């Protein structure tokens, strides 16, 4: 990636910040049903006893192969899908035990950026309505003019232009659509954003631009990120700490330098061995696990 974040002083200051999100023993099991009566005969343990935390202003990378359960973690802790067990606390508040009224308040604090920038935007709505809808639903603006002004401010902050509010999603490139998705996530001024592989559908050059935008927004607004990805190069670029997920469990967690330079678990070592070398003359021995889908 084009811009390597500063490590020493910045990381040290983040290590002293209080915990914003705490996840303990999270489980998300999906029933396996068979027969005419559709009886439950077992469960797919997509997420099985996962625990981690995210500090204020910090980026925690959740990395693993496709199907390991990392997206399910992000959606479960936001209560977009039901949990099967565990405890999630946001700034000390119980997320799973929150009432509908309390959860409405919490949703202003926790937002998500989806993997597919096209599929996550309603093609029948103009960009201004897509970004402005959360503001109106949560009563953060009092008039159409105020909503429009806030939408234009968010578009410019995310690297687009004010007039983009009058256009439809299909009129934009993939990178521009993801900027619209980021603007929508920022509209409620959240403190935590779950970034669900926000760059995986984009070209490498556009990936770098989006990552740099997320870094700038974090510095400006003090955001915390749970950054979900299967790409170790992307995780290395943007994250302060890394949690490695395999078969529904976190198998290793530590600082970016610890995980990248001194991996302990064989699955982490296998992930790192799959990262392409920039120098074609240098060859890295691939490590393959019997049950891994790399």
């Amino acid at each position: 990636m084009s811009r390597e974040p500063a490590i020493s002083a910045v990381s040290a200051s983040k290590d002293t910040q209080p915990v914003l999100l705490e996840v303990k023993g999270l489980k998300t099991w999906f029933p396996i049903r068979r027969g005419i009566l559709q009886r439950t005969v077992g469960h797919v343990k997509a997420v099985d006893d996962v625990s981690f935390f995210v500090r204020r202003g910090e980026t925690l990378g959740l990395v693993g192969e496709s199907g390991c359960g990392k997206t399910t973690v992000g959606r479960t802790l936001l209560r977009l899908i039901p949990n099967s067990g565990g405890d999630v606390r946001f700034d000390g508040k119980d997320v799973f035990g929150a009432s509908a009224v309390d959860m409405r308040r919490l949703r202003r604090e926790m937002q998500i950026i989806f993997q597919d920038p096209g599929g996550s935007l309603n093609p029948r709505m103009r960009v201004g309505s897509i970004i402005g809808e959360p503001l109106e639903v949560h009563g953060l603006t009092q008039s159409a003019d105020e909503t429009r002004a806030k939408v234009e401010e968010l578009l410019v902050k995310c690297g687009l232009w004010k007039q983009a509010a009058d256009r439809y999603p299909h009129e934009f490139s993939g990178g521009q659509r993801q900027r619209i998705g980021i603007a929508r996530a920022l509209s409620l001024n959240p403190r935590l954003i779950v970034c669900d592989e926000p760059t995986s559908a984009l070209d490498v050059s556009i990936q770098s631009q989006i990552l740099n935008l997320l870094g700038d927004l974090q510095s400006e607004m003090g955001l915390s990120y749970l950054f979900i990805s299967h790409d170790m190069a992307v995780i290395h670029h943007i994250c302060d700490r890394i949690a490695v997920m395999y078969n529904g469990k976190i198998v290793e967690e530590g600082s970016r330098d610890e995980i990248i330079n001194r991996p302990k678990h064989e699955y982490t070592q296998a992930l790192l061995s799959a990262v392409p070398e920039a120098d074609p003359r240098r060859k890295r021995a691939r490590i393959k696990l019997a049950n891994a889908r790399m």
Side-chain angles (χ1 to χ4, degrees):
M1 297 297 171
S2 62
R3 188 175 64 184
E4 185 68 21
I7 298 175
S8 55
V10 175
S11 295
S13 64
K14 290 181 180 180
D15 287 345
T16 63
Q17 292 298 313
V19 171
L20 180 65
L21 175 73
E22 187 173 19
V23 178
K24 290 184 178 179
L26 182 64
K27 296 180 181 180
T28 307
W29 296 2
F30 297 106
I32 301 171
R33 304 182 189 277
R34 289 179 184 163
I36 297 175
L37 300 179
Q38 290 292 289
R39 289 194 175 96
T40 299
V41 297
H43 290 86
V44 175
K45 298 180 180 181
V47 178
D48 193 23
D49 197 21
V50 165
S51 300
F52 60 86
F53 64 90
V54 183
R55 295 186 179 94
R56 292 181 184 175
E58 176 186 55
T59 301
L60 173 68
L62 188 59
V63 64
E65 64 188 348
S66 297
C68 71
K70 53 191 187 298
T71 291
T72 304
V73 168
R75 298 193 178 200
T76 302
L77 67 88
L78 294 175
R79 280 180 57 173
L80 297 179
I81 55 178
N83 70 304
S84 304
D87 180 58
V88 174
R89 294 190 176 272
F90 179 83
D91 202 15
K93 303 180 183 71
D94 183 2
V95 174
F96 292 155
S99 65
V101 173
D102 291 337
M103 195 62 211
R104 183 182 176 90
R105 296 193 191 99
L106 282 172
R107 292 205 184 282
R108 289 176 54 179
E109 306 280 352
M110 303 185 294
Q111 288 292 302
I112 184 170
I113 300 169
F114 294 98
Q115 177 179 359
D116 181 7
S120 65
L121 304 176
N122 189 332
R124 296 172 180 259
M125 294 175 66
R126 296 182 190 272
V127 168
S129 299
I130 291 172
I131 300 174
E133 185 177 42
L135 295 168
E136 296 171 352
V137 168
H138 287 270
L140 299 182
T141 53
Q142 306 303 317
S143 66
D145 289 343
E146 187 180 353
T147 300
R148 174 71 183 210
K150 182 63 176 176
V151 167
E152 291 179 350
E153 177 187 339
L154 288 166
L155 286 169
V156 172
K157 181 176 288 189
C158 292
L160 295 171
W161 55 98
K162 294 180 179 180
Q163 292 74 18
D166 298 318
R167 297 169 65 178
Y168 289 94
H170 73 269
E171 300 180 66
F172 297 89
S173 67
Q176 290 171 333
R177 289 178 195 169
Q178 195 58 285
R179 290 175 186 270
I180 294 168
I182 294 171
R184 177 178 58 186
L186 293 176
S187 62
L188 298 179
N189 196 26
R191 289 192 285 166
L192 171 75
I193 297 181
V194 175
C195 303
D196 184 10
E197 303 218 38
T199 62
S200 64
L202 307 176
D203 293 339
V204 174
S205 60
I206 306 302
Q207 285 184 18
S208 181
Q209 294 175 20
I210 296 299
L211 292 175
N212 288 338
L213 171 62
L214 290 172
D216 292 340
L217 291 170
Q218 183 177 50
S219 298
E220 179 184 345
M221 304 175 67
L223 296 167
S224 299
Y225 293 139
L226 174 61
F227 197 96
I228 297 168
S229 180
H230 65 274
D231 190 331
M232 289 297 289
V234 170
I235 288 289
H236 183 205
H237 176 77
I238 196 170
C239 297
D240 303 298
R241 290 187 301 113
I242 300 173
V244 182
M245 196 166 177
Y246 180 51
N247 284 346
K249 297 179 181 291
I250 290 179
V251 296
E252 187 168 3
E253 184 177 357
S255 70
R256 175 176 57 192
D257 286 346
E258 288 172 348
I259 298 298
I260 297 297
N261 299 322
R262 298 179 296 279
K264 297 177 181 177
H265 196 275
E266 61 178 356
Y267 179 67
T268 309
Q269 296 167 3
L271 278 178
L272 289 167
S273 75
V275 178
E277 280 282 1
D279 187 347
R281 294 169 297 182
R282 295 178 60 186
K283 292 189 177 182
R284 178 181 291 159
R286 284 293 302 274
I287 302 172
K288 291 189 176 182
L289 303 181
N291 297 325
R293 294 180 290 274
M294 292 183 298

